[in-house]
Amino acid sequence: MSVKFISQDLATLHEALQMRKEEYEALYSAGKWQGAVVQAGFLLELALKIAICKNLGEQNLPRIFQVHDLELLLFCSGLGQTFKSKPALQRNFTVVLTNWSPELRYEKSLITKKKSDDVHQALFDPSHGLLTFLATI
């Protein structure tokens, strides 16, 4: 069996995560709530794909993980049980799942400031933010 990998390595994925975070911050700061939430979901997706590489001991992401399914990516990252055992992480993951889908980028504005703030807190809370946590693994 031959596994195909994307060409970008972990260092490139980390750089992409930083660039997407800057784009997210620009959208959020500008009050572009829907755009910020769209970008937030892709930030989490990218962070989970980095976690998958680490979990598999691979420098490049297998192409099979080029999906937008956050629940599948969490499971494949090996962190599903960790999230289940930490209610704040699980709650924050649910906040993102409830408010984000890749299809959101095609829809008219549905996201309020409140929802955008909830997603922001779920990702960046200093104690239990998803991206805060994923940056430590």
Side-chain angles (χ1 to χ4, degrees), residues 6 8-18 46 49-50 53 59-61:
I6 65 170
Q8 296 79 13
D9 64 8
L10 269 174
T12 305
L13 294 176
H14 278 285
E15 289 172 10
L17 181 64
Q18 185 58 41
L46 189 50
K49 289 176 179 181
I50 290 169
C53 288
Q59 284 299 304
N60 298 70
L61 183 72

Side-chain angles (χ1 to χ4, degrees), residues 36-80:
V37 171
V38 168
Q39 198 67 14
F42 289 122
L43 270 174
L44 180 56
E45 178 184 304
L46 189 50
L48 288 170
K49 289 176 179 181
I50 290 169
I52 288 170
C53 288
K54 291 178 180 179
N55 184 45
L56 296 175
E58 295 290 346
Q59 284 299 304
N60 298 70
L61 183 72
R63 286 188 181 201
I64 194 166
F65 296 114
Q66 285 187 303
V67 297
H68 302 301
D69 185 335
L70 296 177
E71 291 173 298
L72 174 68
L73 294 172
L74 177 62
F75 175 79
C76 294
S77 74
L79 296 169

Side-chain angles (χ1 to χ4, degrees), residues 61-118:
L61 183 72
R63 286 188 181 201
I64 194 166
F65 296 114
Q66 285 187 303
V67 297
H68 302 301
D69 185 335
L70 296 177
E71 291 173 298
L72 174 68
L73 294 172
L74 177 62
F75 175 79
C76 294
S77 74
L79 296 169
Q81 289 303 322
T82 300
F83 275 47
K84 285 180 184 175
S85 69
K86 297 185 181 209
L89 285 177
Q90 186 62 47
R91 191 170 42 254
N92 285 339
F93 190 70
T94 300
V95 167
V96 176
L97 284 179
T98 303
N99 291 291
W100 180 82
S101 77
E103 291 77 23
L104 192 60
R105 63 190 159 172
Y106 305 118
E107 297 173 358
K108 67 179 183 165
S109 185
L110 304 171
I111 300 296
T112 63
K113 180 181 185 321
K114 166 80 169 94
K115 287 183 179 183
S116 184
D117 288 344
D118 290 347

